[in-house]
Amino acid sequence: MDMLLTGAGVIALLLGVLALGSWVFSGLVIVAMLSLWGLGDFDAQRIGLILSKILFRAANSWELSAIPLFILMGELIFRSDISERLFRGLTPLTRHLPGGILHTNVLGCTLFAAVSGSSAATTATVGKITTQELANRHYDRNLSIGSLAGAGSLGLLIPPSIVMIVYGVQAEVSISKLFMAGVLPGLLIAVLYIGYVAMRSLIDPSVAPRDDGDATGIGRALLNLAPVLGLIVIVLGAIYSGIATPSEAAAVGCAATLVLLLWERQLTLSLFIDALRGALISSVMVCSLLIAAALLSTAMGYLHLPRDLASWIADQAFSPVALLLAMALFYVVLGLFLDGISITVMSLPITLPIIVQAGYDPLWFGVFLVIMVELGQITPPVGFNLFVLQGLTGESIGRVALAAAPFFVLMCIAALLICLWPSIALWLPTVLSGRA
């Protein structure tokens, strides 16, 4: 009962601080300090000593260096014409399929996710080209917006993923293996989206009018795709081959992007400064949340909350299905109000010990958690992808959310499949890294 009262007290503190409009990272620090003082009976000097040590240790994590580098890489690509060339390359490859160039939303986001690591950046970059093009060619508006909202969230799952780096740092799981684990689930979701778009267009051909206007050859199309494909091979090839760590691969990816933009005469001083400014703002936000989460996680450890909660869950003898269902509902509810990184850093100190106690692989749970976070990206009122698309299309947030609903269901189906067959996530890390 003491554990339940302590947990309820921490949650009440957290909700109260966030309800006051506090920044998330400062709210986490305040809750950590108040929890140690009010629930753990720690004095101010001891709290300061504990938090100062954790602050230094968390801020000096080598794995964190990958975050600003991958963000900078995405910012550079976002400000170049690579996204336009991506669309031009995919159009002749998809126009004869059922659904036509609607598939450029899904395929474009899948490819761009492999060089950006961000859901919002993926949605904005691909959407700024495809939304207008699809509207001009009279494709169904709802299917166009919905497929982009769903596929844009793949930026969180397909490596390199910022949320996976955040999870790996917090859960002390190999980031390289997490990246490997995200590949097949990401492709599975993309295939489900492509299948749904094709099925809708076969049932009702008017949603995807036949378009024979683009006669670009396959060779030219592949040439337009070459920059993105080349960056994917460089970054993920370096990681999966074992040549580079994720942080080193991020640096290589940034260098390759700069060389590519310089070669194509797109690298200007203003573009570079804008990319640095955008990367700085995003990186400070992410790293501040991670450091604050480390403080909260430490405070929970001193209060023995994760250990006691895990023991309590074990004593209740919940079935694996009931536990996962409870976790899924928990994360979907959090996704209604918080962004993905905030969800991860706030919940993991409590949920990870429960999952480990129940016997689940933390590597597999990382993939499951990211899919749950992806669901939050397309659910109102705080679905980031919905806001991005509202700005791109000018449609109401309600219509955007309604258009994304079928893709929300498809993502839930993907999560169910991964729960039924965990090898979908674990097979690639086992094969590539020899993990027993």
Side-chain angles (χ1 to χ4, degrees):
M1 184 59 67
D2 288 342
M3 177 273 300
L4 293 177
L5 290 175
T6 301
V10 172
I11 293 172
L13 276 174
L14 187 55
L15 293 176
V17 170
L18 294 178
L20 294 175
S22 167
W23 289 335
V24 174
F25 86 91
S26 63
L28 294 177
V29 175
I30 292 170
V31 170
M33 296 173 66
L34 290 178
S35 297
L36 289 174
W37 175 71
L39 301 174
D41 200 25
F42 285 37
D43 58 42
Q45 183 177 359
R46 188 180 180 190
I47 292 173
L49 183 62
I50 292 170
L51 297 189
S52 63
K53 290 181 178 179
I54 300 302
L55 177 66
F56 181 79
R57 187 179 70 188
N60 282 274
S61 173
W62 167 247
E63 288 82 2
L64 290 181
S65 61
I67 292 176
L69 290 171
F70 277 128
I71 292 175
L72 176 59
M73 184 177 169
E75 290 283 342
L76 289 168
I77 294 172
F78 175 73
R79 287 169 169 78
S80 69
D81 74 342
I82 292 177
S83 58
E84 296 180 19
R85 294 174 63 179
L86 183 63
F87 178 79
R88 293 201 301 269
L90 290 173
T91 298
L93 300 178
T94 59
R95 61 191 177 93
H96 294 301
L97 298 175
I101 63 171
L102 269 174
H103 295 297
T104 58
N105 274 345
V106 179
L107 295 176
C109 288
T110 303
L111 289 174
F112 193 82
V115 292
S116 108
S118 165
S119 173
T122 299
T123 305
T125 304
V126 176
K128 71 178 183 179
I129 304 299
T130 62
T131 50
Q132 190 57 50
E133 284 289 340
L134 291 171
N136 292 341
R137 302 185 192 203
H138 307 294
Y139 279 77
D140 183 78
R141 188 67 164 169
N142 286 340
L143 197 53
S144 170
I145 294 172
S147 60
L148 183 58
S153 65
L154 292 175
L156 297 179
L157 184 59
I158 293 179
S161 163
I162 303 301
V163 173
M164 280 190 168
I165 297 174
V166 170
Y167 176 86
V169 170
Q170 281 195 280
E172 298 181 354
V173 174
S174 168
I175 294 173
S176 296
K177 290 179 180 178
L178 276 171
F179 282 179
M180 297 174 196
V183 172
L184 292 183
L187 294 178
L188 170 65
I189 294 173
V191 168
L192 289 174
Y193 288 171
I194 289 172
Y196 175 74
V197 169
M199 181 188 70
R200 281 286 310 276
S201 64
L202 288 173
I203 294 173
D204 181 7
S206 66
V207 302
R210 185 173 178 82
D211 184 3
D212 297 318
D214 194 336
T216 304
I218 299 298
R220 183 67 179 174
L222 294 177
L223 191 61
N224 282 322
L225 294 176
V228 169
L229 295 177
L231 291 174
I232 292 172
V233 170
I234 290 171
V235 174
L236 299 186
I239 295 173
Y240 296 161
S241 65
I243 296 174
T245 65
S247 297
E248 293 165 346
V252 171
C254 276
T257 304
L258 287 170
V259 170
L260 174 63
L261 297 183
L262 190 63
W263 175 265
E264 297 191 344
R265 299 181 180 179
Q266 295 187 49
L267 185 60
T268 63
L269 182 59
S270 62
L271 182 148
F272 186 62
I273 291 175
D274 287 344
L276 284 176
R277 183 182 295 113
L280 177 63
I281 293 171
S282 298
S283 301
V284 168
M285 181 269 291
V286 174
C287 293
S288 297
L289 282 171
L290 270 176
I291 294 169
L295 300 180
L296 180 61
S297 179
T298 301
M300 296 302 98
Y302 275 100
L303 295 175
H304 306 296
L305 185 59
R307 184 193 65 190
D308 294 344
L309 186 58
S311 299
W312 182 80
I313 293 292
D315 293 340
Q316 305 310 304
F318 287 130
S319 69
V321 173
L323 179 60
L324 283 182
L325 182 59
M327 287 286 179
L329 292 174
F330 171 68
Y331 278 113
V332 168
V333 171
L334 284 183
L336 298 176
F337 307 103
L338 296 170
D339 65 277
I341 293 174
S342 298
I343 291 172
T344 304
V345 300
M346 289 172 61
S347 67
L348 211 56
I350 297 174
T351 58
L352 186 62
I354 298 173
I355 286 296
V356 173
Q357 177 71 29
Y360 288 101
D361 190 324
L363 184 62
W364 174 87
F365 182 65
V367 175
F368 176 81
L369 184 149
V370 171
I371 294 176
M372 293 299 104
V373 167
E374 284 184 333
L375 290 172
Q377 298 292 301
I378 54 176
T379 53
V382 191
F384 275 23
N385 284 12
L386 303 184
F387 287 120
V388 171
L389 284 170
Q390 182 187 31
L392 286 172
T393 63
E395 303 288 352
S396 68
I397 196 73
R399 179 176 182 182
V400 175
L402 198 60
F407 297 89
F408 177 93
V409 174
L410 290 172
M411 201 176 296
C412 290
I413 293 173
L416 176 61
L417 293 175
I418 291 167
C419 291
L420 294 174
W421 293 285
S423 58
I424 296 174
L426 298 177
W427 179 78
L428 196 59
T430 302
V431 171
L432 293 184
S433 65
R435 181 174 175 273

